[in-house]
Amino acid sequence: MKHIWIAAAFAAASGQPCLAQTAVQWQLATGYRAESFHTQNIERMAADLARASAGRLRIEVKPNNALVKLADIRQAVQDGKVQAGETIMTSMVKEIPIAGADAIPFVVGSYADARRMWTLQRPLIDQHFAARGLQALYAVPWPPQGLYTDTPVRTTADFRGARMRTYNQTTERIAELLGATPVDVPMVEVNQALATGRITSMITSAVTGVENQVWGRAKYYYEINAWYPKNIVFVNRKAFEALAPDLQQMLLAAGQEAETRGWALSQAAAADATNELRSRGLQVGRVPPDFEADLKRMGEKFSLEWVRSVGNEANRIFVPYYVDSKR
């Protein structure tokens, strides 16, 4: 240990930080693949932070459920079992209902709308996180959800008799409101279900369509931008407060940069995947205006129901969101 004390004395005399005394090593758990643009964005944040802090704060990213299962990450960070984590915000709705605002269908129709939604949602998330000993760093959306069909659609009437793939209560409700028959199909079985006619339509992102190579089975992809679910990156509040003040500011700044970069990465992933679907022979476009208006009315219905279920707190998001959208 003698060489450590010598290093500390030298550091004190020179006014430089002593890595032996001040270096901090964190772990960040995520359930997503290392190849995901979300994970790559976190890795870039960790690298930027290590460089900015001259190695005084290093974050080791643990992807693919290697450290903690996705469903358990928020609680693990809250309990201090791991210093930082990433999860999809909809996974928190049982304890933090307001986290589900970005998954209400047909409310947010563009990345600009999604950004506006997050601006309204963030202060409420911060309040709930503070009450649970958490500190949010940033949030980044997944590419928007689109509509795949095997025949062209012009109105909601075209869904009568259709069989729509569903995977949760929201997609099941959408199918029913459109007049389609909901069919519960896991993503790994989608190609077979499309090929056999078990399903004739589904709502999922262009990125997921490319990953599952749906071309040759689905023939049309409509950019309805049904919703923009977000992943959120956060840290344990006690671990954050234990950092030196300059490291706290570096971490917050790195998170802010990661948010800006992540939104751009999401948009690029959506554009690249949509172009890939087009190059593989799918007809890509928007639904007709009348059909789009029907979807917006459906979004208003979903949002009103959500507000009733969540309570007054939900109005702090949707009232200003809808007022601003009509200006």
Side-chain angles (χ1 to χ4, degrees), residues 92-161:
M92 304 188 297
V93 295
K94 286 186 178 179
E95 289 200 18
I96 308 176
I98 208 74
D102 59 7
I104 309 304
F106 312 121
V107 172
V108 173
S110 67
Y111 275 96
D113 287 347
R115 170 63 74 178
R116 193 157 49 87
M117 173 74 77
W118 175 229
T119 300
L120 296 167
Q121 190 182 21
R122 173 71 189 258
L124 302 178
I125 292 296
D126 284 341
Q127 289 175 20
H128 284 283
F129 270 23
R132 290 165 173 79
L134 298 170
Q135 168 76 48
L137 292 183
Y138 69 88
V140 168
W142 288 93
Q145 307 293 293
L147 172 66
Y148 294 83
T149 65
D150 65 352
T151 57
V153 295
R154 298 175 184 84
T155 70
T156 55
D158 292 324
F159 284 91
R160 292 170 189 159

Side-chain angles (χ1 to χ4, degrees), residues 21-35:
Q21 287 187 322
T22 60
V24 178
Q25 181 76 42
W26 279 9
Q27 289 186 317
L28 187 151
T30 177
Y32 297 96
R33 299 176 300 116
E35 298 80 11

Side-chain angles (χ1 to χ4, degrees), residues 3 30 259 271 287:
H3 64 284
T30 177
E259 180 161 293
V287 295

Side-chain angles (χ1 to χ4, degrees), residues 22-258:
T22 60
V24 178
Q25 181 76 42
W26 279 9
Q27 289 186 317
L28 187 151
T30 177
Y32 297 96
R33 299 176 300 116
E35 298 80 11
S36 165
F37 75 86
H38 282 286
T39 306
Q40 291 172 357
N41 190 35
I42 296 172
E43 292 277 12
R44 173 70 181 276
M45 180 191 73
D48 289 348
L49 186 59
R51 183 168 52 253
S53 68
R56 292 167 58 211
L57 178 56
R58 295 183 179 275
I59 298 179
E60 183 183 10
V61 182
K62 294 286 191 177
N64 203 33
N65 295 307
L67 188 61
V68 183
K69 296 297 184 184
L70 180 62
D72 302 326
I73 288 175
R74 185 197 60 79
Q75 191 65 52
V77 177
Q78 182 174 325
D79 293 343
K81 295 177 181 177
V82 61
Q83 295 88 2
E86 177 199 37
T87 192
I88 191 164
M89 287 180 61
T90 52
S91 70
M92 304 188 297
V93 295
K94 286 186 178 179
E95 289 200 18
I96 308 176
I98 208 74
D102 59 7
I104 309 304
F106 312 121
V107 172
V108 173
S110 67
Y111 275 96
D113 287 347
R115 170 63 74 178
R116 193 157 49 87
M117 173 74 77
W118 175 229
T119 300
L120 296 167
Q121 190 182 21
R122 173 71 189 258
L124 302 178
I125 292 296
D126 284 341
Q127 289 175 20
H128 284 283
F129 270 23
R132 290 165 173 79
L134 298 170
Q135 168 76 48
L137 292 183
Y138 69 88
V140 168
W142 288 93
Q145 307 293 293
L147 172 66
Y148 294 83
T149 65
D150 65 352
T151 57
V153 295
R154 298 175 184 84
T155 70
T156 55
D158 292 324
F159 284 91
R160 292 170 189 159
R163 293 174 293 281
M164 178 175 281
R165 181 237 173 183
T166 59
Y167 55 89
N168 59 21
Q169 288 183 333
T170 298
T171 51
E172 184 173 339
R173 182 89 186 287
I174 291 171
E176 291 170 347
L177 289 172
L178 288 172
T181 300
V183 183
D184 188 359
V185 177
M187 200 66 219
V188 294
E189 297 177 13
V190 159
N191 274 339
Q192 182 182 14
L194 285 168
T196 60
R198 184 181 170 199
I199 60 172
T200 57
S201 62
M202 65 178 179
I203 294 177
T204 194
S205 71
V207 172
T208 302
V210 169
E211 289 176 346
N212 289 273
Q213 300 182 6
V214 299
W215 41 82
R217 297 170 178 86
K219 296 179 175 60
Y220 298 86
Y221 178 71
Y222 294 98
E223 298 174 282
I224 60 172
N225 298 343
W227 59 90
Y228 289 73
K230 293 189 295 290
N231 279 11
I232 189 165
V233 176
F234 51 96
V235 301
N236 177 276
R237 184 77 190 183
K238 287 183 179 179
F240 175 80
E241 291 176 345
L243 296 174
D246 65 324
L247 291 181
Q248 292 180 11
Q249 292 306 311
M250 289 179 193
L251 177 58
L252 294 175
Q256 197 167 36
E257 290 179 12

